[in-house]
């Protein structure tokens, strides 16, 4: 049962990534930040303890983009909101524990990911909370089927995202790991 760390990424094109950050610093600077942040993150998260996989969007352009290392496995995110796309990742990856993170969390280290996978040794699911009520990491042990309503109805980009997501895992033992901040606005960027 090989551990899998899936990083959700959008092809870094001006006007398509980090639109809230772009309103504050401009589309070119926001795109530049995404490209460099992602490159640093992927270098930092390579580790023999897990497979590093990219879940990319848009599906066709993401699969052929040269913005990311060519040696990393890629899978298309597919259609739907963030919950539908993350649920698809959880349902389609090979057997074993899966953690999903975004590419916009500058503070992630290998130690954070190792703690999340260790938590899955004792729990059915794990979340890495964010200060805004969302989360930077979700993981499932996947020893049983992913619930049918998993991540449906979550109020994304609100202070309810974590609570709503937890509610879609009835009867699951859920652990929490470190709180980290993602970058959506210039205030977030200054804070990290």
């Amino acid at each position: 049962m090989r551990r899998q760390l899936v990083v959700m990424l959008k092809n870094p094109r001006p006007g398509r990534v980090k639109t809230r950050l772009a309103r504050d610093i401009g589309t070119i600077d926001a795109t530049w930040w995404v490209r460099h942040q992602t490159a640093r993150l992927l270098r930092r998260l390579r580790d023999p303890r897990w497979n590093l996989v990219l879940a990319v969007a848009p599906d066709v352009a993401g699969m052929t983009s040269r913005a990311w290392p060519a040696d990393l496995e890629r899978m298309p995110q597919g259609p739907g909101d963030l919950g539908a796309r993350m649920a698809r990742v959880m349902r389609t990856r090979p057997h074993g524990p899966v953690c999903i993170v975004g590419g916009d969390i500058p503070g992630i280290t290998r130690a954070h990911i190792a703690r999340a996978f260790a938590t899955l040794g004792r729990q059915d699911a794990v979340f890495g909370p964010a200060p805004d009520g969302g989360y930077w990491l979700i993981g499932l042990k996947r020893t049983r089927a992913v619930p049918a309503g998993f991540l449906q109805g979550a109020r994304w980009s609100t202070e309810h995202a974590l609570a709503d997501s937890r509610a879609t895992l009835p009867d699951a033992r859920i652990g929490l790991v470190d709180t980290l901040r993602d970058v959506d606005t210039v205030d977030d960027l200054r804070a990290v």
Side-chain angles (χ1 to χ4, degrees):
M1 292 196 328
R2 181 79 170 143
R3 296 170 171 174
Q4 299 166 72
L5 175 61
V6 178
V7 183
M8 304 280 286
L9 297 172
K10 285 184 181 177
N11 196 22
R13 296 284 181 242
R16 301 240 184 227
V17 293
K18 290 290 157 201
T19 55
R20 286 188 284 168
L21 179 62
R23 283 193 296 263
D24 295 333
I25 67 172
T27 57
I28 300 301
D29 287 342
T31 304
W32 181 91
W33 183 84
V34 168
R35 281 181 175 272
H36 291 276
Q37 159 59 26
T38 302
R40 286 188 304 268
L41 179 78
L42 295 177
R43 278 192 305 272
R44 200 167 51 245
L45 294 183
R46 285 181 185 260
D47 193 287
R49 294 173 287 180
W50 51 75
N51 288 340
L52 185 58
V53 179
L54 309 181
V56 298
D59 294 348
V60 174
M63 293 299 287
T64 59
S65 176
R66 294 187 305 191
W68 309 300
D71 66 311
L72 293 176
E73 179 186 350
R74 296 180 192 192
M75 63 177 289
Q77 289 183 19
D81 70 5
L82 179 59
R85 291 179 281 134
M86 289 194 297
R88 185 175 301 109
V89 166
M90 290 296 186
R91 288 189 176 102
T92 60
R93 296 305 306 158
H95 186 69
V98 173
C99 286
I100 300 173
V101 299
D104 61 349
I105 305 100
I108 298 176
T109 66
R110 288 184 197 105
H112 291 116
I113 302 303
R115 278 193 290 280
F117 280 120
T119 299
L120 287 177
R122 303 179 304 277
Q123 307 291 339
D124 302 313
V126 62
F127 286 92
D132 62 4
Y135 51 94
W136 62 271
L137 176 140
I138 183 171
L140 295 180
K141 186 183 287 190
R142 297 182 338 134
T143 54
R144 56 185 174 180
V146 176
F150 179 59
L151 300 179
Q152 289 180 2
R155 292 170 280 179
W156 303 110
S157 300
T158 73
E159 68 274 9
H160 307 287
L162 176 57
D164 291 351
S165 297
R166 287 181 69 151
T168 69
L169 290 166
D171 305 319
R173 294 171 300 141
I174 298 173
L176 298 175
V177 291
D178 310 86
T179 299
L180 295 177
R181 180 182 298 273
D182 63 343
V183 173
D184 291 320
T185 67
V186 72
D187 291 334
D188 296 331
L189 192 56
R190 287 183 188 127
V192 296

